Amino acid sequence: KVGNNYACGLGFGLHFGWAVEGPIGSEMKIDVSYLSPHVNITAILESTTKSYGTAILLSSNLYHMLSMEVRETCTRPVDFACLPGSTTPMLFYECAIQKPTLCPIPGDMSLGKADFERLMDSASAVHCSFASHFVSPTNIQDDTYEYCQSESSISTALPLTPLQTGNQYSTRDVTCMAQAYYVTGDWKNASRLYRVLIDHVGDPVAENLFEYMSRWDHVKPKGWEYRVNDEK
């Protein structure tokens, strides 16, 4: 009935936070469930994988529990957005093994270490200004949870040193540079870098962001602070 070209796709949303577990129902039917805003965030991330063409999305909370090695080899930033059902923007990530691919970028966009660090710091400052601090139950004392909510951990979300050869950067660093230009309002340069990713690796995340910015001719609208993603 479905034909020979049918394929099953799966999407996963991964998040870290508190939840209350317990039986819910009546004497006729009882189910064990988890209640928490963090459960909702996980479901939202899962549904958002369809919009960005990714299999696994991670929240900032979970990202900051990962080792630096895993962050740099298995993740990359996707978008800084207010997701459906949410009122606060978050930076979320794709979980994917990053192939050691170098992408040539326009020569005038090649950055030295100092300029690269300044760009990453500027983007981190934007992320921190909107940092979401969910209040955990008073009876939960979890140092890891508190660390994940700290602004100092958010500032390490983007790389500080680029992996480059001349004007060729790793695909992850090109993504990070594009995301940094995007959140700091330089949509022209962000679009140029996302275009590189589209042309060289056929990146669905880059296609999503490029199309979004094209709605305003790749110029940040007045008053724009973050994306409000209402795509289901």
Side-chain angles (χ1 to χ4, degrees):
K1 292 183 179 180
V2 296
N4 296 329
N5 295 324
Y6 176 80
C8 180
L10 297 177
F12 300 88
L14 304 181
H15 179 60
F16 173 79
W18 62 267
V20 177
E21 176 189 11
I24 300 174
S26 66
E27 60 182 10
M28 302 297 294
K29 177 175 172 47
I30 296 179
D31 291 318
V32 175
S33 185
Y34 297 87
L35 299 179
S36 167
H38 299 283
V39 175
N40 298 337
I41 290 174
T42 305
I44 292 169
L45 285 170
E46 183 276 324
S47 64
T48 303
T49 59
K50 304 181 187 72
S51 300
Y52 293 92
T54 60
I56 304 174
L57 288 179
L58 310 176
S59 69
S60 294
N61 284 27
L62 184 61
Y63 173 87
H64 292 296
M65 297 180 71
L66 305 176
S67 68
M68 287 302 299
E69 180 181 4
V70 172
R71 294 185 198 182
E72 293 175 357
T73 57
C74 301
T75 70
R76 63 172 182 155
V78 171
D79 202 351
F80 184 60
C82 188
L83 298 176
S86 176
T87 58
T88 306
M90 73 159 66
L91 177 64
F92 50 95
Y93 303 80
E94 178 187 19
C95 178
I97 302 300
Q98 303 295 300
K99 296 180 181 180
T101 302
L102 292 177
C103 288
I105 67 174
D108 63 321
M109 298 193 72
S110 183
L111 300 177
K113 184 175 184 296
D115 290 334
F116 188 88
E117 289 179 355
R118 278 193 289 270
L119 177 61
M120 296 302 112
D121 286 344
S122 297
S124 293
V126 174
H127 300 150
C128 289
S129 68
F130 290 100
S132 175
H133 296 271
F134 293 100
V135 180
S136 59
T138 56
N139 62 331
I140 295 180
Q141 300 297 326
D142 190 327
D143 292 339
T144 303
Y145 178 87
E146 294 300 328
Y147 170 77
C148 287
Q149 296 300 324
S150 69
E151 292 189 359
S152 60
S153 68
I154 296 174
S155 66
T156 62
L158 300 175
L160 294 180
T161 303
L163 174 62
Q164 67 179 116
T165 301
N167 71 325
Q168 296 191 81
Y169 289 74
S170 71
T171 52
R172 182 180 188 274
D173 283 342
V174 174
T175 302
C176 290
M177 291 169 65
Q179 175 65 206
Y181 282 124
Y182 166 67
V183 299
T184 56
D186 188 348
W187 284 17
K188 288 293 186 183
N189 279 330
S191 296
R192 292 173 69 192
L193 292 178
Y194 280 127
R195 184 79 257 175
V196 168
L197 292 169
I198 294 170
D199 292 341
H200 286 271
V201 295
D203 187 352
V205 170
E207 290 177 358
N208 181 290
L209 273 294
F210 187 89
E211 187 279 328
Y212 173 72
M213 289 184 287
S214 70
R215 301 174 194 176
W216 293 274
D217 196 27
H218 304 282
V219 177
K220 187 192 79 166
K222 184 178 181 180
W224 186 94
E225 293 181 310
Y226 51 83
R227 181 175 186 177
V228 178
N229 193 338
D230 57 0
E231 299 175 18
K232 303 297 183 182

